[in-house]
Amino acid sequence: MKTSTQLKLIKTIAKIGKINKMWYLQGPKLQTTITKKQAKIAYPSKKLQTACSVTSHQVNTSQVYEIAPKSASNNLIIYLAGGGFVLPISSLHWDFIQLLVTKTNTKAIVPLYPLAPAHNVDAVMATLTTIYQQAVQDYNPNTITIIGDSAGGNIALAFSLHLQTNGLPQPKQIIAISPAVDLTFTNPDIAPIEEKDYIVGTPALKEISEWYRGTHTLTDGIISPLYGDFTHSAPIIIFSSTGDLTNPDTKRFAAKNKAITTYYEYPDYPHIFPLYPIPEGEDARQKLIALII
């Protein structure tokens, strides 16, 4: 496919604006930047609130939004927005969630889960467990789809392991978009892709991973799903691109778990490309919609 004007524009803006600059910070500068960005939470837009019913409630210390279409099916989406485990949900996420909800007539639960460095994986899993336990009282697990992008994809996959450990039912499926599946970031195949990845970078992610892991090791499946046992997991669907530095490890995950994983790989698109309003993401978006319906 010829590169669209929209994607060329995103690439230009990202490079001029140095979108990935934060991901190359470390130490006090990284923490200061994160503190500032965590104060800038995006809320559901007026457009979203007009198209859907939007309500919210608290679970532990987290705000949880429920986005319902005008006429809802019996299915449910639990959407975990990415942000490198430290950044709050963005307007890009809300637009994508609106698309999924309205195109599939499916209600979405969107937890603003606890963020590092103040919180670690255990706090995230505790919050999601409470949300999920309530969800399976209201919905058959076979009608629940958990979707996550980037760090949210990592969390979605890790949550499947958490459900196994705690004897809770698996959802219908887990969909991971550009997931970070190995937080050691030691795969040598990452380096040449990172050089051209204009969205994210590994230096900050390595430091963030140390905060996020809490008392777990980086090779614990709940931190790095690549090392987990997904034998009893729900079916997994992954969308990845060769232009994304998470791609080398995602390919390894798909190969290791091929019995339960459907893997879609696209050429040289940016990190979380289906979320951007670009023609290159349309095939993935249509596949996502078909999976949810």
Side-chain angles (χ1 to χ4, degrees):
M1 176 189 288
K2 184 179 178 181
T3 303
S4 69
T5 301
Q6 296 95 319
L7 180 53
K8 287 179 181 177
L9 181 61
I10 287 172
K11 187 173 183 178
T12 299
I13 292 172
K15 288 188 172 182
I16 292 175
K18 297 180 179 179
I19 295 296
N20 65 353
K21 180 181 178 180
M22 177 190 134
W23 304 109
Y24 287 88
L25 299 176
Q26 292 177 303
K29 287 186 177 180
L30 175 61
Q31 295 198 37
T32 299
T33 300
I34 288 171
T35 299
K36 290 179 180 178
K37 289 182 177 292
Q38 287 186 350
K40 298 178 181 179
I41 301 172
Y43 295 100
S45 66
K46 289 183 178 179
K47 178 183 175 184
L48 173 54
Q49 294 182 59
T50 299
C52 304
S53 168
V54 179
T55 58
S56 68
H57 61 278
Q58 289 284 127
V59 172
N60 299 336
T61 60
S62 298
Q63 194 79 0
V64 179
Y65 284 87
E66 296 188 8
I67 315 296
K70 300 298 184 183
S71 177
S73 68
N74 292 323
N75 298 327
L76 178 70
I77 296 166
I78 298 176
Y79 194 94
L80 306 174
F85 307 99
V86 294
L87 299 183
I89 192 167
S90 70
S91 57
L92 181 69
H93 291 111
W94 287 122
D95 289 345
F96 186 60
I97 290 164
Q98 179 179 337
L99 173 75
L100 295 179
V101 168
T102 56
K103 291 295 185 181
T104 65
N105 289 322
T106 301
K107 179 179 177 180
I109 293 177
V110 186
L112 305 192
Y113 55 82
L115 299 174
H119 304 281
N120 60 39
V121 64
D122 294 327
V124 174
M125 292 297 146
T127 297
L128 295 185
T129 300
T130 300
I131 293 167
Y132 190 76
Q133 286 175 322
Q134 181 58 56
V136 296
Q137 290 182 26
D138 301 330
Y139 292 84
N140 186 313
N142 291 330
T143 66
I144 299 175
T145 296
I146 299 177
I147 307 176
D149 68 88
S150 191
N154 168 294
I155 294 168
L157 293 170
F159 190 57
S160 175
L161 298 178
H162 184 74
L163 292 175
Q164 292 179 52
T165 300
N166 289 275
L168 293 169
Q170 291 286 317
K172 171 187 174 183
Q173 59 193 347
I174 295 168
I175 301 175
I177 303 167
S178 301
V181 298
D182 183 2
L183 298 195
T184 70
F185 296 104
T186 53
N187 187 338
D189 293 338
I190 292 173
I193 300 176
E194 184 170 15
E195 289 180 5
K196 60 180 181 178
D197 190 324
Y198 48 90
I199 303 295
V200 291
T202 60
L205 286 170
K206 289 177 181 177
E207 188 165 336
I208 291 166
S209 298
E210 290 295 330
W211 306 336
Y212 180 70
R213 71 179 179 86
T215 59
H216 303 270
T217 65
L218 287 176
T219 54
D220 187 325
I222 204 166
I223 302 299
S224 297
L226 178 63
Y227 304 100
D229 180 358
F230 285 83
T231 304
H232 303 291
S233 170
I236 295 168
I237 302 93
I238 293 178
F239 293 86
S240 185
S241 161
T242 58
D244 173 7
L245 65 79
T246 65
N247 177 258
D249 289 329
T250 302
K251 279 197 282 197
R252 291 170 64 198
F253 179 93
K256 179 182 176 184
N257 299 285
K258 59 184 178 182
I260 59 162
T261 301
T262 301
Y263 178 62
Y264 295 110
E265 184 176 83
Y266 295 79
D268 205 29
Y269 298 162
H271 186 62
I272 64 168
F273 69 94
L275 277 68
Y276 293 103
I278 54 176
E280 286 84 352
E282 186 60 20
D283 182 76
R285 287 190 290 270
Q286 291 304 318
K287 283 182 169 65
L288 271 158
I289 289 166
L291 286 163
I292 296 166
I293 294 174

